[in-house]
Amino acid sequence: MITVTKGFGLSLYASDLGDIKQLTVGDEGTLFVGSQKSGTVYALVDSDQNGQVDKRYLIARGLDYPEALAFHDGALYVTEDDRIIRFEEIESRLRRPSRAREVYANLPSLDKKYSRSMHFGPDGRLYISIGSPCNVCEAASPFGSILAINVDTGASEQIASGLRSVIGFDWSPDTNKLWFADLGRDWMGDNLPADEINRLDVKGSHFGFPYLHGSDVVEPAYDKPENLNITLPVFELPAHVAATGLSFYRGKQFPPRYRNQLFVAENGSWNRSSKVGYQIVMLDITDGKVSKRETVVSFLDGEFPVARPFDVINAPDGAMYISDDLKGNIYRLFYNAPEQSQEMK
């Protein structure tokens, strides 16, 4: 059983896509899907606009962990091993994509597995988060940071550090400030430490990892450098919910109170005695502060996860797409009518 907030509907947009992770949408509405171990990138098209994919194209196969995607100026950008590659004019070449071109080659090697994601920012640069390759450790830069890359020149700038595993990030439509979720460390018990929602107010800020988790959980294994200033989270999520996807809602289909608010995909717990997460939540932001967190879709039926939402992004028609890395599905969240059923099987 999947539970959906009153007024919303949830439909199966695409299925059987393997170990899918992150999503991005092209200018013409094509939905691109990255994967992890399967090494594939798909393009999905709903040509009759009935809310269900009827054409799918294999853009690439045999890549090393192409989970992070971004679209900009007609091109699809994909992380692959220790580099970023670009497929030019991709939406006009879905059947026969052009040969990918390398645009950046200074990512850490995948010898040590770490999370990463990327989006183009308001300034036209490509922002990529590079997670730490450990549960808790002092890893060398650029691990545990967010970089901003000029894809024309290759110049890069580190804009944030002290991060453990940032996958979901987006810019506020109201302020253009960068918000991101950081996953807390494991093996400190069911309820510690919190997953974090952070905001970058000052370029170059350090967000605490590995010395401080959440707002007040001190790491016993490492001493904080004496002169290090740490930026605290603007909001704490429950421990182990694993906030992997994060998007501000920019559409007009949902009621006004959801607009410009922050939607978060909680991928769900594994390092906990009972399950939490496995849901899409909305964070209500007022005057730069999170005033409440409310569930919009729950994929957890008791202790049984029906899906594990990984990414949540805006769809061109005002709906939202949700990737599920448990079953390889993509769901479409839309606003229907208040009288509709709240549950689906």
Side-chain angles (χ1 to χ4, degrees), residues 203-268:
K203 186 168 62 176
S205 295
H206 192 288
F207 289 87
F209 184 82
Y211 313 110
L212 184 70
H213 309 291
S215 298
D216 55 8
V217 178
V218 176
E219 170 57 46
Y222 298 99
D223 294 327
K224 181 180 81 69
E226 187 174 340
N227 296 322
L228 179 65
N229 293 319
I230 291 176
T231 300
L232 299 180
V234 296
F235 187 72
E236 292 189 342
L237 297 168
H240 309 300
V241 297
T244 52
L246 186 154
S247 289
F248 283 92
Y249 178 67
R250 292 174 167 83
K252 296 183 179 179
Q253 185 188 112
F254 298 179
R257 77 181 190 90
Y258 294 96
R259 297 173 191 171
N260 291 352
Q261 300 298 343
L262 194 55
F263 280 70
V264 179
E266 297 179 355
N267 193 236

Side-chain angles (χ1 to χ4, degrees), residues 1 3 7 10 27 37 63 73 90 124 150 164 173 185 219 245 264 278 282 300 308 336:
M1 192 75 72
T3 305
L10 191 74
D27 291 336
K37 295 180 181 179
L63 302 180
D73 283 347
I90 187 62
N150 183 318
R164 181 176 179 270
R185 65 157 293 181
E219 170 57 46
V264 179
Y278 305 92
M282 186 197 76
L300 191 60
R308 293 195 72 173
N336 197 1

Side-chain angles (χ1 to χ4, degrees), residues 241 264-268 277-281 293 295-299 309:
V241 297
V264 179
E266 297 179 355
N267 193 236
Y278 305 92
Q279 61 182 352
I280 303 296
V281 301
R293 165 178 170 262
T295 299
V296 180
V297 184
S298 174
F299 295 98

Side-chain angles (χ1 to χ4, degrees), residues 83-236:
R83 62 182 187 155
I84 300 171
I85 58 177
R86 178 171 65 201
F87 295 88
E88 303 281 359
E89 299 176 359
I90 187 62
E91 287 185 289
S92 63
R93 300 177 176 179
L94 294 177
R95 292 184 182 276
R96 295 194 175 194
S98 60
R99 186 180 181 89
R101 175 189 168 194
E102 182 180 282
V103 296
Y104 188 77
N106 292 320
L107 297 181
S109 170
L110 276 173
D111 289 345
K112 293 184 177 180
K113 185 171 175 276
Y114 58 94
S115 62
R116 55 192 183 184
S117 64
M118 61 184 182
H119 303 281
F120 276 87
D123 60 0
R125 292 190 294 177
L126 179 59
Y127 288 70
I128 180 164
S129 62
I130 300 174
S132 296
C134 57
N135 177 39
V136 57
C137 62
E138 291 180 309
S141 178
F143 287 116
S145 70
I146 298 176
L147 303 180
I149 301 169
N150 183 318
V151 295
D152 296 321
T153 66
S156 65
E157 178 185 22
Q158 182 174 286
I159 64 160
S161 62
L163 310 174
R164 181 176 179 270
S165 182
V166 172
I167 303 171
F169 64 91
D170 195 8
W171 288 261
S172 166
D174 296 327
T175 65
N176 267 356
K177 286 189 175 180
L178 179 62
W179 291 64
F180 58 91
D182 195 7
L183 279 61
R185 65 157 293 181
D186 297 313
W187 309 114
M188 293 188 85
D190 277 4
N191 300 311
L192 288 176
D195 279 359
E196 301 176 7
I197 299 294
N198 293 290
R199 184 182 65 234
L200 182 67
D201 293 327
V202 179
K203 186 168 62 176
S205 295
H206 192 288
F207 289 87
F209 184 82
Y211 313 110
L212 184 70
H213 309 291
S215 298
D216 55 8
V217 178
V218 176
E219 170 57 46
Y222 298 99
D223 294 327
K224 181 180 81 69
E226 187 174 340
N227 296 322
L228 179 65
N229 293 319
I230 291 176
T231 300
L232 299 180
V234 296
F235 187 72
E236 292 189 342

